[in-house]
Amino acid sequence: MPRSSSLGIMMDQSPLRPFGRVLQVPEGTRITDIPVQTLRRWTEESRVLVLRGFSILGKQEFADYCRLWGELLEWEVGAVMDLVVQDKPKNYLFASGDVPFHWDGAFVEADPRFFFFQCLDAALDAGGETVFCDTTAVYRDADEDLRRQWEGISLTYKTEKLAHYGGQITEKLVSQHPSTGVPVLRFAEPLDPTVYKNPVFVTVEGNQQEETDDFLAMMSELVHRPQYCYAHAWQPGDIVIADNFSLIHGRNAFTGSTSRHLQRVEVI
Ligand SMILES: [Fe+2]
């Protein structure tokens, strides 16, 4: 494992495909051994940063560490959300099926800048990968006509508050990354009421239902293309930092054991 000359610790950095970076360090290295500014820069460059070998943090310690990056989004349960599959969930996030693409914080006041996960437990080859789509790449590859169409589109999302979020919001489809100014897409897929525990209804402002349906189907097909998506298969001990502006994310359905336990914190 090569030694990082600037930081004085052993580490191996490898690119993930089609984007992202994995940083492997010797077991027991502390996340605080790497300056926050360095990890922040790597996260912004890579959009997803996977850290392996670092010590998992206690719940309070995890929140305290994330606070070094910025203010935290506080839920009713606190800043650290335990993500586990439940037997009788009210919300699809806690069920074992897939989770369609969305960005975090859509139904709360603040727009999280980054989100952090740490993986306390996960079964291998059991599905449940977290899938990230790089919307900066989707926008980059769109032709002029499509970009012009997107610039004029606003979408309204509506959901009932059954877990830790809910309500109605209207957002422009094209937004700008707060650090780089690069165009990003704020797109979340609808959740069909016949399939998901708590549906999300999406409408395109000014469109008839049929046009809305066609548009949403086109967008879903586009953002799921493999060249834009990195699927993260969790290993116990993984710490993952993701850019909530460049990316939208979702989860594949579980195909095996659902014993996985993630903790998540959102940094505003
Ligand atoms: Fe999410």
Side-chain angles (χ1 to χ4, degrees):
M1 190 178 289
R3 178 177 291 273
S4 159
S5 53
S6 58
L7 300 171
I9 53 175
M10 306 283 275
M11 65 172 72
D12 181 52
Q13 292 199 48
S14 323
L16 295 165
R17 296 279 172 248
F19 63 91
R21 183 185 311 200
V22 59
L23 181 63
Q24 177 82 51
V25 294
E27 281 306 313
T29 304
R30 302 204 45 89
I31 194 168
T32 46
D33 292 344
I34 302 185
V36 168
Q37 305 92 294
T38 306
L39 285 179
R40 194 179 175 110
R41 178 162 49 82
W42 289 345
T43 306
E44 287 190 346
E45 288 167 1
S46 315
R47 297 175 283 287
V48 173
L49 188 62
V50 176
L51 307 176
R52 289 207 161 123
F54 290 92
S55 305
I56 285 291
L57 304 169
K59 205 166 180 175
Q60 186 59 46
E61 208 184 358
F62 186 35
D64 290 343
Y65 173 72
C66 293
R67 223 170 257 119
L68 300 175
W69 285 60
E71 191 187 339
L72 306 188
L73 198 54
E74 297 280 345
W75 305 98
E76 282 159 16
V77 295
V80 181
M81 175 89 64
D82 284 285
L83 296 173
V84 287
V85 173
Q86 299 172 354
D87 282 342
K88 289 187 179 147
K90 285 185 184 158
N91 181 294
Y92 72 106
L93 288 177
F94 303 107
S96 61
D98 72 309
V99 174
F101 278 139
H102 61 282
W103 73 93
D104 275 358
F107 293 104
V108 294
E109 291 292 311
D111 243 346
R113 183 68 195 76
F114 300 101
F115 51 93
F116 286 68
F117 290 106
Q118 61 174 3
C119 179
L120 281 68
D121 191 13
L124 297 178
D125 299 323
E129 299 87 357
T130 299
V131 184
F132 298 94
C133 167
D134 180 3
T135 71
T136 66
V138 176
Y139 185 90
R140 181 197 63 208
D141 292 349
D143 64 25
E144 274 304 314
D145 284 350
L146 189 54
R147 286 183 181 183
R148 207 168 308 120
Q149 181 199 350
W150 284 350
E151 297 285 350
I153 286 181
S154 291
L155 296 151
T156 295
Y157 303 90
K158 201 187 286 187
T159 191
E160 195 185 337
K161 186 171 192 285
L162 292 176
H164 50 282
Y165 63 87
Q168 176 175 324
I169 57 147
T170 300
E171 285 269 340
K172 282 186 164 4
L173 176 63
V174 180
S175 183
Q176 281 195 325
H177 192 279
S179 297
T180 62
V182 167
V184 298
L185 300 178
R186 296 300 245 176
F187 175 66
E189 295 179 285
L191 270 61
D192 183 339
T194 62
V195 180
Y196 298 98
K197 294 277 177 191
N198 60 325
V200 173
F201 300 97
V202 185
T203 49
V204 179
E205 290 301 290
N207 274 13
Q208 301 298 316
Q209 190 59 47
E210 203 174 307
E211 289 173 290
T212 287
D213 291 346
D214 289 349
F215 177 78
L216 296 176
M218 182 275 286
M219 287 301 295
S220 284
E221 187 278 322
L222 193 54
V223 294
H224 281 281
R225 289 185 189 174
Q227 69 261 40
Y228 301 129
C229 294
Y230 164 65
H232 184 68
W234 290 95
Q235 295 179 16
D238 281 356
I239 296 177
V240 170
I241 313 173
D243 179 335
N244 191 42
F245 273 89
S246 296
L247 306 174
I248 51 177
H249 63 278
R251 186 188 71 198
N252 290 336
F254 285 94
T255 53
S257 164
T258 55
S259 63
R260 190 176 77 189
H261 182 185
L262 299 179
Q263 288 180 330
R264 190 196 64 195
V265 171
E266 316 263 8
V267 176
I268 300 167

